[in-house]
Amino acid sequence: MSVERLVVIGGDAGGLSAAAQARRLRPADDLDIVVLEQGPEASYSACGIPYWVGGLVSDRDQLIARTPSQFAAQDIDVRTGTRAKKIDLAGGRVTTGTGETLGYDHLLVATGGKPVRPPVPGLDADGVHGVHRLADGADIRAAITAGAKRAVVLGGGYIGLEMAEVLQLRGLEVTVVLADPLPMGQLDADMGGRVCAAMCEMGIDVQTEQPVREIEVGPDGAARAVRTDTASYDADLVVLGLGMGPETTLARAAGLQLGTTGAIDVAPTQRSRSHPEVFAAGDCAQTFHRITGEAIHVALGTHANKQGRVAGSVIGGRPARFAGVLGTAMTKVGDLEVARTGLCTTQAEQGGYDFRTELIESSTRAGYYPGAAPIAVKLITERGSGLLLGAQVVGGPGSGKRIDVLATAIWAGMTAEQLAGSDLSYAPPFSPTYDPVIVAARVASRIEQR
Amino acid sequence: MSVERLVVIGGDAGGLSAAAQARRLRPADDLDIVVLEQGPEASYSACGIPYWVGGLVSDRDQLIARTPSQFAAQDIDVRTGTRAKKIDLAGGRVTTGTGETLGYDHLLVATGGKPVRPPVPGLDADGVHGVHRLADGADIRAAITAGAKRAVVLGGGYIGLEMAEVLQLRGLEVTVVLADPLPMGQLDADMGGRVCAAMCEMGIDVQTEQPVREIEVGPDGAARAVRTDTASYDADLVVLGLGMGPETTLARAAGLQLGTTGAIDVAPTQRSRSHPEVFAAGDCAQTFHRITGEAIHVALGTHANKQGRVAGSVIGGRPARFAGVLGTAMTKVGDLEVARTGLCTTQAEQGGYDFRTELIESSTRAGYYPGAAPIAVKLITERGSGLLLGAQVVGGPGSGKRIDVLATAIWAGMTAEQLAGSDLSYAPPFSPTYDPVIVAARVASRIEQR
């Protein structure tokens, strides 16, 4: 029996999930698996970096899920510090930075994402940090230890919010500078406004509608301020919280077709549409929205894991398809939990849906139970059918994970009325008699009945 | 226009939801609404009584959602301290304890539940308390204030667990005496065992497989011990935590047909099956299981509210149907959260299902995030189809409400594989990359694929 080889480029969520799944289905005497990772670690949690910076996680190694030796025990050859320099699609081989050539029978491109960088002068200065590699976290920690007092976070998405929170936790004065009118652009304005208010109440300085024009650099070559059309904000530390784009340099050079989002265009099997013998998964790959079917790029570890698993299954001989994304996302800033799924108002408008929105306010627990906190739930439903299209949740502790109920209902194609009738749990320490999700669904379905 | 009259017997969740919904649909010049409540308060939270006893809720009035004067503002005449003594179905009238006769065009029986009482001597002694009326809570609080040191809780269901927790919180030594081999009989043994272990670790004395034989009464007429075949447990205070049965005395005397569960037999419109001109809702009414279609009695405020709402809608002229229950339930004991939905193993066996079970262990948050706690998720799925039939969750803070995702998936008729592919939220403070619900669904669907 001739042994085939799977080469995986990128040793994080997407690549390693694929490797593990392929190995489950095909033993080492049938499939050789080599994972090339340019960085010093494989399998780390980029999402955990803010909490390491914040000191909530004390040890960097806690962010590393598995080491190369653990993978070796599964006969998966993970080579860290090994850059893939070139893919030769016609020849079926990958060349590494040291000139080694690896032939492959199956190739998975899982090169991940890269922080979005605004095209402004000074961005390459010392003191400007992404939140991507563990080295970024180490650099930011070192800057704090060295005495940084003022941080400017560019962008108010998930990473921006999380970094603002933890930098404040570490004692820095934090300014968040946004091009948008509100943080959390994936929320409607009435929900994003709640996030903005909570940030301001925490003492985070939020400066909106100010695209960054320049990173001012001092004579020492380090960033010293962020300039917008309105003002200049002093900074010992600048953090890029503008989101993650796809890292496609290698794929593009090889001739793999990119999609409209700029990420690698793949079918639901994770096969490249231009080169079906090549797979792509994770932050470098384009995916599709479950509701609209449209191409979308979402950089998130859960999707990377699932897409990698699909690729690994297909390579392993078992049919599998990625089922799409709803854009479910969640974070917190201070005690405020923020979550969303499906279409927001802007997306529903762009998609040409005839829809209505309902926003309700309730309580995370029975009103009389200690720790009960306000929660707002907003639903977007299709007019007429009552189908759930999207949901947003903002509120105190215990609010955010309620988005999963709404994501499941949308995934299943439920109407607001069906959700309103469903049997969700009730106990005073955990919800009012009617869970806020039910209250929202009921209001949305009641209005549909008129 | 002649004004019709709706008489509601019972002024709590079921009755008042019906009254409020009927009023929304029919103004006061079209429908007169009178609610008869034998107790001193309407609209109180029985579920909150344990937390009032435990001192987590300081003021009894916090448990009262709305007062009669608030209902009066909606033209709903709520008469507390007014007992309905007799229903004359043929004559269409209700006689009160004071002999007043009220004719009705529409009648809703919402007489609620009553604590299950084991048929043993001594149960009527002083010091034996249900957890039903606010007066019960006041009595238990008074007993603690008067110096009660040892409490025996009969039964290990939701009320039993909650009372054990709060009595211990108040400094009492607590023994829970069960006829079953484990607390939480609605869970499978492997999950109930986790609850039992946590209770023991908290210092609650759990005595299993010991049906109570007698409440030993002292010369002062007060309970002093609970006797089983094995031992006698000293008690200054005995609490009935054996669940709630339907209160049907009045309905039975009037000739309304009861179902197999002993509760009033109603159609999904909440109309009595024997007398469709009469409605029943809440703890006094029988309902049906969403999966099996079988008759079931579940005493819970959420169902009471929804059933009352259905009855109120129908009375108000808008068609409505109650959609059934999954038996979703949740509670906590100490930091351990406990929840279940759908069929447990015993129910699946009794229903004749061909099923499999999977139990997974995971973490409530990313493993590295502070406060991450163990969580166990058990799924029951139909063999072949992979349809989700039931789920149980036991774990640390943040575990329990995850049952709502599973309840929604079961409600929607999803398979484990569909749930495994769904887009649930991920952020390190709230879940591992794969939420424990997804992990469980994935394991269940993976096994189905073999």
Side-chain angles (χ1 to χ4, degrees):
Chain A
M1 181 156 92
S2 84
V3 178
E4 289 193 335
R5 182 187 285 150
L6 164 63
V7 172
V8 176
I9 303 177
D12 203 0
L16 295 172
S17 292
Q21 179 70 353
R23 173 59 73 233
R24 267 182 216 112
L25 299 172
R26 295 178 67 175
D29 60 5
D30 179 40
L31 185 70
D32 192 30
I33 305 181
V34 181
V35 179
L36 308 178
E37 167 55 44
Q38 63 177 353
E41 304 90 13
S43 188
Y44 69 95
S45 171
C47 316
I49 293 172
Y51 306 105
W52 177 41
V53 169
L56 293 161
V57 178
S58 55
D59 183 357
R60 165 189 175 286
D61 289 351
Q62 292 178 269
L63 299 185
I64 298 173
R66 302 180 76 195
T67 61
S69 64
Q70 289 172 301
F71 284 103
Q74 285 182 278
D75 292 314
I76 296 172
D77 178 11
V78 176
R79 304 185 189 171
T80 54
T82 306
R83 189 166 68 89
K85 193 174 148 192
K86 189 186 161 195
I87 302 170
D88 174 1
L89 293 174
R93 60 195 171 193
V94 173
T95 308
T96 70
T98 56
E100 189 188 354
T101 296
L102 273 164
Y104 63 78
D105 301 284
H106 307 278
L107 176 68
L108 171 65
V109 179
T111 43
K114 60 182 178 186
V116 171
R117 295 166 69 85
V120 298
L123 208 72
D124 291 322
D126 286 349
V128 181
H129 305 277
V131 190
H132 180 209
R133 302 273 172 197
L134 291 182
D136 297 327
D139 288 347
I140 298 171
R141 284 172 62 99
I144 297 169
T145 306
K149 298 276 175 258
R150 284 166 304 198
V152 172
V153 176
L154 301 181
Y158 299 94
I159 297 172
L161 255 64
E162 291 162 8
M163 288 305 299
E165 175 182 358
V166 299
L167 290 170
Q168 193 190 47
L169 200 61
R170 292 292 301 269
L172 280 76
E173 279 178 42
V174 179
T175 299
V176 176
V177 175
L178 310 174
D180 291 333
L182 283 170
M184 297 301 298
Q186 295 185 290
L187 299 182
D188 287 358
D190 47 6
M191 298 296 269
R194 290 164 193 260
V195 178
C196 196
M199 291 172 75
C200 295
E201 200 162 317
M202 288 169 68
I204 295 170
D205 177 30
V206 183
Q207 296 292 339
T208 61
E209 299 186 269
Q210 294 179 46
V212 56
R213 298 301 180 199
E214 182 187 359
I215 309 296
E216 295 174 13
V217 180
D220 59 350
R224 66 178 183 193
V226 169
R227 188 175 62 75
T228 71
D229 289 340
T230 309
S232 175
Y233 303 98
D234 289 347
D236 305 318
L237 188 62
V238 178
V239 174
L240 297 177
L242 294 159
M244 298 289 282
E247 172 52 68
T248 56
T249 313
L250 201 60
R252 209 169 45 222
L256 288 174
Q257 185 180 300
L258 306 186
T260 51
T261 64
I264 301 170
D265 193 8
V266 294
T269 53
Q270 301 303 134
R271 288 184 186 275
S272 155
R273 290 199 197 266
S274 63
H275 296 78
E277 74 280 14
V278 177
F279 294 79
D283 294 1
C284 66
Q286 182 168 287
T287 187
F288 62 99
H289 198 285
R290 171 91 174 174
I291 299 175
T292 64
E294 281 175 12
I296 187 173
H297 178 254
V298 180
L300 198 64
T302 40
H303 304 319
N305 274 329
K306 286 181 195 158
Q307 291 165 0
R309 200 179 164 75
V310 166
S313 286
V314 174
I315 292 164
R318 179 191 287 171
R321 296 171 70 84
F322 187 68
V325 304
L326 289 175
T328 308
M330 179 173 179
T331 192
K332 68 187 272 293
V333 56
D335 277 342
L336 195 78
E337 300 183 3
V338 183
R340 54 95 62 218
T341 189
L343 306 180
C344 64
T345 289
T346 307
Q347 290 171 313
E349 282 168 356
Q350 286 168 351
Y353 289 88
D354 184 12
F355 66 97
R356 60 176 81 242
T357 67
E358 292 299 327
L359 192 160
I360 66 97
E361 293 182 320
S362 180
S363 169
T364 53
R365 306 175 170 185
Y368 53 79
Y369 196 88
I375 173 175
V377 179
K378 184 167 187 178
L379 294 187
I380 295 170
T381 52
E382 188 174 54
R383 213 180 282 264
S385 73
L387 273 175
L388 293 161
L389 298 176
Q392 298 164 43
V393 176
V394 175
S399 295
K401 264 288 178 186
R402 283 176 156 107
I403 204 71
D404 287 353
V405 177
L406 294 155
T408 303
I410 294 173
W411 194 264
M414 287 173 79
T415 64
E417 189 175 357
Q418 287 169 333
L419 181 60
S422 73
D423 187 0
L424 303 193
S425 61
Y426 160 58
F430 305 104
S431 84
T433 318
Y434 281 122
D435 192 274
V437 166
I438 298 286
V439 174
R442 206 174 77 183
V443 170
S445 60
R446 185 196 303 159
I447 284 171
E448 202 54 58
Q449 286 169 349
R450 273 180 197 151
Chain B
M1 180 159 85
S2 84
V3 177
E4 290 193 334
R5 183 187 286 152
L6 164 63
V7 172
V8 176
I9 304 177
D12 203 1
L16 294 172
S17 292
Q21 179 69 353
R23 175 57 74 232
R24 267 182 217 112
L25 299 172
R26 295 178 66 175
D29 61 5
D30 178 41
L31 184 71
D32 194 27
I33 305 180
V34 181
V35 180
L36 308 178
E37 166 56 44
Q38 64 178 351
E41 305 88 14
S43 188
Y44 70 96
S45 172
C47 315
I49 293 172
Y51 306 104
W52 179 40
V53 169
L56 292 161
V57 179
S58 54
D59 182 358
R60 165 189 173 287
D61 289 350
Q62 292 179 270
L63 300 185
I64 298 172
R66 302 180 75 194
T67 61
S69 65
Q70 289 172 301
F71 285 103
Q74 285 182 279
D75 292 312
I76 296 172
D77 178 10
V78 176
R79 304 184 188 172
T80 53
T82 305
R83 189 165 69 89
K85 193 174 148 192
K86 190 186 160 196
I87 302 169
D88 175 1
L89 292 175
R93 59 196 172 192
V94 173
T95 308
T96 71
T98 57
E100 190 188 354
T101 296
L102 273 165
Y104 63 79
D105 300 283
H106 307 278
L107 176 67
L108 171 66
V109 180
T111 44
K114 59 181 179 188
V116 171
R117 295 167 68 85
V120 298
L123 208 72
D124 292 323
D126 286 349
V128 181
H129 305 276
V131 189
H132 181 206
R133 301 273 173 198
L134 290 182
D136 297 326
D139 289 347
I140 298 171
R141 283 173 62 98
I144 296 169
T145 306
K149 297 277 177 259
R150 283 165 305 197
V152 173
V153 177
L154 301 180
Y158 300 93
I159 298 172
L161 253 65
E162 289 162 8
M163 287 306 297
E165 175 181 356
V166 299
L167 290 169
Q168 192 191 46
L169 200 61
R170 291 293 300 269
L172 279 78
E173 279 177 43
V174 180
T175 299
V176 176
V177 176
L178 311 175
D180 291 333
L182 283 170
M184 297 301 299
Q186 294 185 291
L187 299 184
D188 288 357
D190 48 5
M191 298 296 270
R194 290 164 193 261
V195 179
C196 195
M199 292 171 74
C200 294
E201 199 163 318
M202 288 169 67
I204 296 171
D205 177 30
V206 184
Q207 297 291 339
T208 61
E209 298 185 270
Q210 294 179 47
V212 58
R213 298 302 180 198
E214 183 188 359
I215 309 296
E216 295 175 14
V217 180
D220 60 349
R224 65 176 180 194
V226 169
R227 189 176 63 73
T228 70
D229 290 338
T230 308
S232 175
Y233 303 98
D234 290 348
D236 304 320
L237 189 61
V238 178
V239 174
L240 297 176
L242 295 157
M244 297 289 283
E247 172 53 67
T248 56
T249 313
L250 200 62
R252 211 169 45 224
L256 289 175
Q257 184 180 299
L258 305 186
T260 51
T261 64
I264 301 169
D265 193 9
V266 294
T269 53
Q270 301 303 133
R271 288 183 186 276
S272 155
R273 289 199 198 265
S274 64
H275 297 78
E277 74 279 15
V278 177
F279 294 79
D283 294 0
C284 67
Q286 182 168 285
T287 188
F288 63 99
H289 198 285
R290 171 92 175 173
I291 299 176
T292 64
E294 281 174 11
I296 187 173
H297 177 254
V298 179
L300 197 63
T302 40
H303 305 318
N305 274 330
K306 285 181 195 160
Q307 291 165 1
R309 199 178 164 75
V310 167
S313 285
V314 174
I315 292 164
R318 177 191 290 171
R321 298 171 69 85
F322 186 68
V325 302
L326 290 176
T328 309
M330 180 173 178
T331 190
K332 69 187 271 293
V333 54
D335 277 342
L336 194 79
E337 300 183 2
V338 183
R340 55 93 64 219
T341 189
L343 306 180
C344 65
T345 289
T346 306
Q347 290 171 313
E349 280 167 359
Q350 286 168 352
Y353 288 88
D354 185 11
F355 66 97
R356 60 174 84 243
T357 67
E358 293 299 327
L359 192 160
I360 65 98
E361 294 182 320
S362 180
S363 169
T364 53
R365 305 176 171 185
Y368 54 78
Y369 196 89
I375 174 174
V377 179
K378 185 169 187 177
L379 295 186
I380 294 170
T381 51
E382 189 174 53
R383 212 180 281 265
S385 73
L387 272 175
L388 293 161
L389 298 176
Q392 298 164 42
V393 176
V394 175
S399 296
K401 263 288 179 186
R402 283 177 157 106
I403 204 71
D404 287 353
V405 177
L406 293 155
T408 303
I410 294 173
W411 193 266
M414 286 173 81
T415 64
E417 190 176 354
Q418 287 170 333
L419 181 59
S422 73
D423 188 0
L424 303 192
S425 61
Y426 159 57
F430 304 105
S431 83
T433 319
Y434 280 122
D435 192 275
V437 166
I438 297 285
V439 175
R442 209 175 74 182
V443 170
S445 60
R446 186 196 303 160
I447 283 171
E448 202 55 57
Q449 286 170 348
R450 276 180 195 151

